[in-house]
Amino acid sequence: MRIGMLTGGGDCPGLNAVIRAVVRKGAGMHGHEFVGFRDGWRGPLENLTMPLGIPDVRGILPRGGTILGSSRTNPFGVDGGVERVTENLHKLGVDALIAIGGEDTLGVATKLHERGVNVVGVPKTIDNDLNATDYTFGFDTAVNIATEAIDRLHTTAESHHRALIVEVMGRHAGWIALHAGMAGGANVILIPEFPFSIERVCAYVESRFQAHYAPIIVVAEGALPDGGDTSILEKGVDAFGHVRLGGIGEWLANEIESRTGKEARTTVLGHIQRGGTPTAYDRVLATRFGLAAMDSVTERAWGTMVALQGTDIVRVPLSAATAELKLVTPERYAEVEVFFG
Ligand code: F6P
């Protein structure tokens, strides 16, 4: 079989581990051939390819990013885009396509499958907000990076008697903030699922100072105060119409300073959470996803996606990835609230 592979959307530590596993099993065990499509859906749209054999995937297991490149190109947003993608796949003799991505990339894969393209999906996002899988690779790495940042901020916050705010990624779901905040012993964790009261946040900050400690506040980029509207956070939109967010950390620092009189500073972790080498957990999960995706292709399980359920890798319909986001539940949030203040 001749198999195309692409990585789309925001990059994620572990993408290269998936690519390596697919090629090692597909070429090494089954004798399949691979075509690497560059830069997400832009690859099949503009016929941008690269060789993808066993020599090309040597040494990439611990490397962050993706050797295939990525983009947020949406062929359904381009005039004649879908026809160009299917024509190019046909011309290149591609029998099957493995799409590695989040809700947008897999959303395109779902629609292409409905139009007869043989697609298999691999879920990817550091946000861990895809409903069909317990965990996505990249999340553990992001949480570890954010936790290390919180550990470091604790000591400097104590020295200077400041409130320090850490803004982490998470547009709609607060999983990174929740896990890193719990692991790092944050005094307040603010996430998009639950609008917060600025008065309560300030009360937590003051009670922390009264206990002779300096507060650390972890805030997801999509968190909002009660009654707040997202326009304070918006910084334009991408090709899938998602708003780019940022600024809630700075807003919090200003509010805390003016309401409590205590010095407050913000650190925005941004893309540091997505770069660099994946943790061992993410390498293992990504490798298992890659191996299972290869099996899905061999067994012609088109329109499916690999997913982690418990400790097993299973197959679910591609559409399950995009049906609904996995959000933090009130029960999970209540666990961290025990440590607030
Ligand atoms: O989708 C993952 C994510 O990390 C979001 O949490 C974040 O809003 C977004 O990517 C930012 O990505 P970019 O800067 O590449 O648009």
Side-chain angles (χ1 to χ4, degrees):
M1 234 190 273
R2 202 164 150 75
I3 303 163
M5 186 154 43
L6 62 84
T7 52
D11 70 347
C12 186
L15 285 168
N16 285 325
V18 179
I19 296 167
R20 167 181 173 269
V22 168
V23 173
R24 286 288 293 274
K25 187 161 193 182
M29 285 183 67
H30 300 293
H32 295 312
E33 268 178 47
F34 288 91
V35 179
F37 284 108
R38 287 188 185 274
D39 300 345
W41 291 112
R42 191 187 297 147
L45 185 69
E46 296 177 13
N47 221 1
L48 307 173
T49 62
M50 62 178 269
L52 199 55
I54 291 180
D56 304 297
V57 301
R58 290 232 189 275
I60 67 170
L61 173 63
R63 264 176 60 190
T66 159
I67 59 164
L68 293 174
S70 192
S71 74
R72 295 192 191 273
T73 302
N74 178 4
F76 285 87
V78 175
D79 234 7
V82 180
E83 293 70 21
R84 268 162 63 193
V85 167
T86 48
E87 247 176 62
N88 285 334
L89 292 176
H90 185 72
K91 276 195 218 147
L92 288 163
V94 169
D95 305 299
L97 190 61
I98 298 180
I100 312 166
E103 49 161 346
D104 297 327
T105 306
L106 298 181
V108 172
T110 308
K111 290 197 237 165
L112 287 176
H113 168 65
E114 286 158 8
R115 285 167 170 74
V117 179
N118 296 335
V119 193
V120 157
V122 176
K124 163 253 47 157
T125 166
I126 64 162
D127 296 336
N128 198 40
D129 57 359
L130 289 181
N131 210 16
T133 182
D134 289 353
Y135 284 99
T136 43
F137 61 86
F139 172 65
D140 186 63
T141 305
V143 168
N144 275 286
I145 292 167
T147 302
E148 195 201 331
I150 296 167
D151 289 347
R152 290 176 184 279
L153 290 171
H154 271 297
T155 62
T156 174
E158 302 294 350
S159 308
H160 291 270
H161 316 290
R162 285 173 177 151
L164 289 185
I165 296 142
V166 198
E167 184 181 308
V168 299
M169 281 186 171
R171 236 188 314 229
H172 307 291
W175 291 108
I176 295 176
L178 188 87
H179 280 228
M182 190 183 230
N187 310 112
V188 187
I189 300 169
L190 306 172
I191 60 176
E193 290 86 340
F194 306 102
F196 60 87
S197 141
I198 186 64
E199 289 79 15
R200 267 182 74 194
V201 170
C202 290
Y204 288 139
V205 163
E206 284 180 321
S207 82
R208 187 74 185 167
F209 276 122
Q210 275 154 21
H212 304 290
Y213 289 104
I216 303 289
I217 297 128
V218 179
V219 61
E221 61 186 341
L224 277 175
D226 284 331
D229 94 65
T230 50
S231 59
I232 58 166
L233 313 176
E234 288 174 15
K235 293 181 168 173
V237 287
D238 67 19
F240 285 88
H242 297 304
V243 287
R244 286 181 54 214
L245 301 180
I248 189 67
E250 212 39 56
W251 181 88
L252 269 169
N254 291 335
E255 289 294 314
I256 290 171
E257 281 199 352
S258 66
R259 286 166 187 259
T260 68
K262 302 283 188 203
E263 203 181 348
R265 300 280 179 87
T266 296
T267 303
V268 180
L269 290 187
H271 296 90
I272 288 171
Q273 293 159 98
R274 284 209 325 229
T277 188
T279 59
Y281 178 88
D282 281 337
R283 294 181 206 186
V284 171
L285 180 58
T287 298
R288 293 184 71 206
F289 275 175
L291 296 173
M294 195 56 250
D295 293 341
S296 304
V297 171
T298 305
E299 291 165 35
R300 310 183 78 82
W302 313 130
T304 64
M305 176 188 96
V306 294
L308 178 72
Q309 283 178 12
T311 54
D312 295 331
I313 308 291
V314 299
R315 266 178 218 159
V316 298
L318 251 183
S319 50
T322 49
E324 163 178 21
L325 282 183
K326 179 176 65 194
L327 299 177
V328 174
T329 59
E331 294 74 25
R332 288 299 310 271
Y333 195 56
E335 291 172 355
V336 291
E337 278 182 312
V338 172
F339 303 96
F340 285 8

PDB file of all heavy atoms in Angstrom, residues 72 126-127 169-171 221 271 274, ligand 1:
ATOM      1  N   ARG A  72      -2.383  25.391  10.029  1.00  0.00           N
ATOM      2  CA  ARG A  72      -3.819  25.335  10.321  1.00  0.00           C
ATOM      3  C   ARG A  72      -4.619  25.506   9.025  1.00  0.00           C
ATOM      4  O   ARG A  72      -5.742  25.989   9.044  1.00  0.00           O
ATOM      5  CB  ARG A  72      -4.189  26.404  11.345  1.00  0.00           C
ATOM      6  CG  ARG A  72      -3.544  26.167  12.714  1.00  0.00           C
ATOM      7  CD  ARG A  72      -4.150  27.067  13.772  1.00  0.00           C
ATOM      8  NE  ARG A  72      -3.384  27.047  15.008  1.00  0.00           N
ATOM      9  CZ  ARG A  72      -3.576  26.161  15.985  1.00  0.00           C
ATOM     10  NH1 ARG A  72      -4.473  25.228  15.870  1.00  0.00           N
ATOM     11  NH2 ARG A  72      -2.836  26.221  17.084  1.00  0.00           N
ATOM     12  N   ILE A 126      -2.047  19.143  23.127  1.00  0.00           N
ATOM     13  CA  ILE A 126      -1.526  19.291  24.491  1.00  0.00           C
ATOM     14  C   ILE A 126      -2.672  19.618  25.449  1.00  0.00           C
ATOM     15  O   ILE A 126      -2.539  19.464  26.644  1.00  0.00           O
ATOM     16  CB  ILE A 126      -0.426  20.377  24.607  1.00  0.00           C
ATOM     17  CG1 ILE A 126      -0.968  21.773  24.279  1.00  0.00           C
ATOM     18  CG2 ILE A 126       0.779  20.038  23.788  1.00  0.00           C
ATOM     19  CD1 ILE A 126      -0.069  22.886  24.802  1.00  0.00           C
ATOM     20  N   ASP A 127      -3.806  20.088  24.899  1.00  0.00           N
ATOM     21  CA  ASP A 127      -4.914  20.528  25.758  1.00  0.00           C
ATOM     22  C   ASP A 127      -5.677  19.367  26.400  1.00  0.00           C
ATOM     23  O   ASP A 127      -6.440  19.581  27.332  1.00  0.00           O
ATOM     24  CB  ASP A 127      -5.901  21.373  24.946  1.00  0.00           C
ATOM     25  CG  ASP A 127      -5.270  22.655  24.443  1.00  0.00           C
ATOM     26  OD1 ASP A 127      -4.293  23.100  25.065  1.00  0.00           O
ATOM     27  OD2 ASP A 127      -5.745  23.193  23.434  1.00  0.00           O
ATOM     28  N   MET A 169      -1.743  27.417  28.579  1.00  0.00           N
ATOM     29  CA  MET A 169      -2.650  27.241  27.448  1.00  0.00           C
ATOM     30  C   MET A 169      -3.942  26.544  27.883  1.00  0.00           C
ATOM     31  O   MET A 169      -3.971  25.878  28.917  1.00  0.00           O
ATOM     32  CB  MET A 169      -1.960  26.475  26.327  1.00  0.00           C
ATOM     33  CG  MET A 169      -1.037  27.373  25.516  1.00  0.00           C
ATOM     34  SD  MET A 169      -0.351  26.521  24.103  1.00  0.00           S
ATOM     35  CE  MET A 169       0.435  27.901  23.257  1.00  0.00           C
ATOM     36  N   GLY A 170      -4.946  26.649  27.068  1.00  0.00           N
ATOM     37  CA  GLY A 170      -6.250  26.053  27.360  1.00  0.00           C
ATOM     38  C   GLY A 170      -7.329  27.057  26.996  1.00  0.00           C
ATOM     39  O   GLY A 170      -7.659  27.925  27.782  1.00  0.00           O
ATOM     40  N   ARG A 171      -7.787  26.928  25.752  1.00  0.00           N
ATOM     41  CA  ARG A 171      -8.759  27.877  25.220  1.00  0.00           C
ATOM     42  C   ARG A 171     -10.141  27.637  25.814  1.00  0.00           C
ATOM     43  O   ARG A 171     -10.788  28.542  26.291  1.00  0.00           O
ATOM     44  CB  ARG A 171      -8.831  27.652  23.711  1.00  0.00           C
ATOM     45  CG  ARG A 171      -8.560  28.879  22.938  1.00  0.00           C
ATOM     46  CD  ARG A 171      -8.812  28.713  21.477  1.00  0.00           C
ATOM     47  NE  ARG A 171      -8.287  27.518  20.872  1.00  0.00           N
ATOM     48  CZ  ARG A 171      -7.571  27.509  19.764  1.00  0.00           C
ATOM     49  NH1 ARG A 171      -7.213  28.635  19.202  1.00  0.00           N
ATOM     50  NH2 ARG A 171      -7.187  26.371  19.213  1.00  0.00           N
ATOM     51  N   GLU A 221      -5.575  30.330  29.645  1.00  0.00           N
ATOM     52  CA  GLU A 221      -5.747  31.519  28.789  1.00  0.00           C
ATOM     53  C   GLU A 221      -7.217  31.844  28.491  1.00  0.00           C
ATOM     54  O   GLU A 221      -7.567  32.986  28.227  1.00  0.00           O
ATOM     55  CB  GLU A 221      -4.995  31.332  27.465  1.00  0.00           C
ATOM     56  CG  GLU A 221      -5.509  30.134  26.665  1.00  0.00           C
ATOM     57  CD  GLU A 221      -4.699  29.824  25.415  1.00  0.00           C
ATOM     58  OE1 GLU A 221      -3.956  30.674  24.927  1.00  0.00           O
ATOM     59  OE2 GLU A 221      -4.837  28.681  24.933  1.00  0.00           O
ATOM     60  N   HIS A 271       4.219  29.154  24.104  1.00  0.00           N
ATOM     61  CA  HIS A 271       4.624  28.000  23.291  1.00  0.00           C
ATOM     62  C   HIS A 271       5.720  27.153  23.930  1.00  0.00           C
ATOM     63  O   HIS A 271       6.032  26.075  23.418  1.00  0.00           O
ATOM     64  CB  HIS A 271       5.026  28.466  21.892  1.00  0.00           C
ATOM     65  CG  HIS A 271       3.862  29.068  21.162  1.00  0.00           C
ATOM     66  ND1 HIS A 271       3.560  30.403  21.234  1.00  0.00           N
ATOM     67  CD2 HIS A 271       2.894  28.494  20.416  1.00  0.00           C
ATOM     68  CE1 HIS A 271       2.463  30.639  20.526  1.00  0.00           C
ATOM     69  NE2 HIS A 271       2.030  29.497  20.020  1.00  0.00           N
ATOM     70  N   ARG A 274       4.649  23.746  24.442  1.00  0.00           N
ATOM     71  CA  ARG A 274       4.478  22.850  23.298  1.00  0.00           C
ATOM     72  C   ARG A 274       5.802  22.407  22.692  1.00  0.00           C
ATOM     73  O   ARG A 274       5.825  21.519  21.843  1.00  0.00           O
ATOM     74  CB  ARG A 274       3.698  23.574  22.197  1.00  0.00           C
ATOM     75  CG  ARG A 274       2.258  23.676  22.465  1.00  0.00           C
ATOM     76  CD  ARG A 274       1.399  23.729  21.233  1.00  0.00           C
ATOM     77  NE  ARG A 274       1.876  24.405  20.070  1.00  0.00           N
ATOM     78  CZ  ARG A 274       1.162  25.312  19.390  1.00  0.00           C
ATOM     79  NH1 ARG A 274      -0.014  25.677  19.822  1.00  0.00           N
ATOM     80  NH2 ARG A 274       1.623  25.838  18.288  1.00  0.00           N
TER      81      ARG A 274
HETATM   82  O1  F6P B   1      -4.567  23.693  20.409  1.00  0.00           O
HETATM   83  C1  F6P B   1      -3.582  23.776  21.340  1.00  0.00           C
HETATM   84  C2  F6P B   1      -3.236  25.153  21.724  1.00  0.00           C
HETATM   85  O2  F6P B   1      -2.108  24.916  22.460  1.00  0.00           O
HETATM   86  C3  F6P B   1      -4.261  25.985  22.513  1.00  0.00           C
HETATM   87  O3  F6P B   1      -4.286  25.746  23.883  1.00  0.00           O
HETATM   88  C4  F6P B   1      -3.814  27.402  22.196  1.00  0.00           C
HETATM   89  O4  F6P B   1      -4.859  28.334  22.324  1.00  0.00           O
HETATM   90  C5  F6P B   1      -3.384  27.293  20.795  1.00  0.00           C
HETATM   91  O5  F6P B   1      -2.903  25.974  20.616  1.00  0.00           O
HETATM   92  C6  F6P B   1      -2.386  28.317  20.367  1.00  0.00           C
HETATM   93  O6  F6P B   1      -1.731  27.899  19.236  1.00  0.00           O
HETATM   94  P1  F6P B   1      -1.096  28.836  18.110  1.00  0.00           P
HETATM   95  O7  F6P B   1      -0.341  29.901  18.823  1.00  0.00           O
HETATM   96  O8  F6P B   1      -0.227  27.920  17.338  1.00  0.00           O
HETATM   97  O9  F6P B   1      -2.224  29.391  17.299  1.00  0.00           O
END
